[in-house]
Amino acid sequence: MFLTDIWYFGALSSAIKPGAFKTVTIAGQPILFGRDQEGQPFALRDICPHRAMPLSCGQAVQGADGKTLVECAYHGWRFDVEGVCREIPSLTAEQKKQMELGKIRTKSYPVEEAQGLIWIYLGEKSGAPARPAPKLDHVGQSQPRLNVVMNFDCPLDHAVIGLMDPAHIGFIHRQWWWRTARSMHEKQKAFGPIKHGFSMLPHVPSSNSFLYKLLGAKPQTEIRFELPGLRTEYVLVGGRQVTGFTAVTPVDEKNTKITIALYWDHPLLTVIPDFLLRRAITIFAGQDRDAVEAQQKGLRHDPKLMLIHDADVQAMWYFKLKKAWADAQIMGRPFVNPVKPTTLRWRS
Ligand code: FES
Ligand SMILES: [Fe+2]
């Protein structure tokens, strides 16, 4: 159902506060995010192994050694940030000697934090992740300057291919500051494989978008897609960058979370008030959401997708990448990227 042995986007750093828990569902797994005594993020399966109370109903407490413990709300069992049980308040001194607390545990997940993003590794096998968490280029160690989080009431695949689909732009996003019906023209873009996905290789972006015109000079754009659902758009202009990172994260079989984080050091975006920028992103992503949610109604009757050349080739690649990833996990062999360098043509 969902890809495993892969890093998922977990949460924005700013959403995980010290001393508090945040509970999220990722790929059907209930997960508690918190921060330890040093401020480092941790992630546990949000279920108490005693009698299944969500651990997030409890509280963060400090153990005798000053380390952060998660205390279950129901019977006060305490777990360290690795998920190991450290205390069962109901045990008598005698019972304590007989019980091996270290054997009681809830699953803990590897997490990494960088660039204002917290990554979580959902692995089938226990042990360290097979590879480091994804990292954005061009933004250094900076934090997102703006973010928008949205829920799409649709399965992951439709949210992903809805975001990478070039042919919908002139229809779903028809607005004066982006595209108009008259601005449609033929395009060709070179694509190539990258580690776990593909890239619309660096190019001078479409002259029919007003926002790009505002950036001035000659911007260079690259759009990357990587499994499990990460889209990054880099706009480089005169040594400055504007980076739009979109994480499409499956909540469960029917729901998907979209997190958009924007980084920039281009002065123009600093001049545009945050609320305007946020509004524009919310309108834009809201149009995608409305489209894929409406599509769900039709898919109930006609679930087969017709994918055509060349406008839907990125969607075809997405399904091929997913299959290649899943096959590699099942067969226990390295992932081989099925995407070959190609130029795609379409009108938008
Ligand atoms: S259910 Fe958590 S301590 Fe009992
Ligand atoms: Fe869109």
Side-chain angles (χ1 to χ4, degrees):
M1 182 77 215
F2 299 112
L3 297 184
T4 56
D5 299 308
I6 196 163
W7 288 95
Y8 280 86
F9 168 75
L12 291 160
S13 296
S14 55
I16 312 298
K17 308 260 190 271
F21 300 143
K22 186 176 170 69
T23 154
V24 293
T25 306
I26 300 175
Q29 314 271 341
I31 290 160
L32 170 154
F33 279 106
R35 288 193 184 276
D36 69 10
Q37 65 288 345
E38 265 130 37
Q40 295 303 314
F42 65 88
L44 299 178
R45 180 167 160 83
D46 191 15
I47 297 177
C48 179
H50 179 215
R51 274 155 58 190
M53 185 76 160
L55 286 171
S56 55
C57 295
Q59 56 173 339
V61 294
Q62 230 182 37
D65 57 0
K67 291 199 173 143
T68 297
L69 297 171
V70 175
E71 184 186 87
C72 180
Y74 210 169
H75 312 95
W77 292 23
R78 290 178 163 190
F79 301 86
D80 65 21
V81 298
E82 261 91 53
V84 179
C85 185
R86 294 291 174 198
E87 225 177 299
I88 298 182
S90 66
L91 294 180
T92 64
E94 199 45 43
Q95 290 163 345
K96 233 183 209 167
K97 281 186 221 149
Q98 285 152 18
M99 200 129 163
E100 273 186 79
L101 292 192
K103 283 196 172 155
I104 304 170
R105 56 181 312 159
T106 190
K107 186 178 167 68
S108 75
Y109 298 88
V111 289
E112 274 186 29
E113 180 174 36
Q115 302 169 319
L117 310 173
I118 297 176
W119 298 92
I120 179 165
Y121 189 79
L122 300 193
E124 285 280 271
K125 311 163 200 104
S126 55
R131 55 198 75 80
K135 211 158 191 276
L136 303 179
D137 282 345
H138 308 298
V139 309
Q141 272 315 308
S142 59
Q143 308 284 306
R145 299 177 75 148
L146 199 109
N147 65 74
V148 172
V149 180
M150 270 190 182
N151 288 304
F152 283 19
D153 214 349
C154 73
L156 171 75
D157 291 350
H158 298 291
V160 168
I161 65 177
L163 290 175
M164 62 173 50
D165 159 22
H168 78 289
I169 294 168
F171 295 89
I172 294 295
H173 303 299
R174 196 178 281 179
Q175 46 230 344
W176 64 268
W177 46 270
W178 189 249
R179 299 285 161 89
T180 61
R182 269 190 317 227
S183 68
M184 268 183 86
H185 63 265
E186 270 185 39
K187 289 192 186 133
Q188 62 169 51
K189 301 269 156 75
F191 288 81
I194 54 173
K195 220 179 190 180
H196 302 135
F198 56 86
S199 157
M200 182 191 286
L201 300 170
H203 61 281
V204 176
S206 173
S207 56
N208 59 0
S209 81
F210 172 71
L211 274 190
Y212 279 144
K213 281 185 194 145
L214 269 185
L215 288 174
K218 269 243 163 76
Q220 262 235 333
T221 299
E222 180 184 3
I223 303 175
R224 294 186 198 163
F225 173 80
E226 286 196 90
L227 292 174
L230 311 172
R231 180 190 188 275
T232 316
E233 182 160 357
Y234 296 107
V235 182
L236 303 178
V237 44
R240 307 274 187 157
Q241 54 87 22
V242 179
T243 300
F245 167 72
T246 305
V248 188
T249 312
V251 175
D252 53 31
E253 291 86 346
K254 291 189 175 143
N255 295 282
T256 303
K257 190 155 116 185
I258 312 293
T259 307
I260 300 169
L262 219 60
Y263 303 75
W264 70 83
D265 57 14
H266 193 285
L268 177 72
L269 270 90
T270 310
V271 170
I272 302 177
D274 273 9
F275 80 92
L276 264 186
L277 212 51
R278 186 185 303 279
R279 179 102 188 95
I281 294 169
T282 308
I283 291 174
F284 208 85
Q287 291 165 335
D288 288 315
R289 179 201 53 214
D290 294 349
V292 292
E293 289 186 356
Q295 184 196 17
Q296 296 312 300
K297 295 180 195 152
L299 286 168
R300 263 180 240 134
H301 303 278
D302 192 356
K304 221 165 131 38
L305 303 173
M306 185 192 292
L307 300 176
I308 64 162
H309 280 271
D310 282 352
D312 296 329
V313 167
Q314 294 179 72
M316 297 178 199
W317 287 342
Y318 166 65
F319 288 116
K320 280 189 187 162
L321 282 161
K322 264 184 81 173
K323 184 163 184 319
W325 189 275
D327 286 351
Q329 302 312 307
I330 293 165
M331 318 283 210
R333 56 169 154 81
F335 164 76
V336 181
N337 191 326
V339 178
K340 301 275 175 282
T342 317
T343 295
L344 301 180
R345 297 178 177 80
W346 65 79
R347 269 173 58 81
S348 68

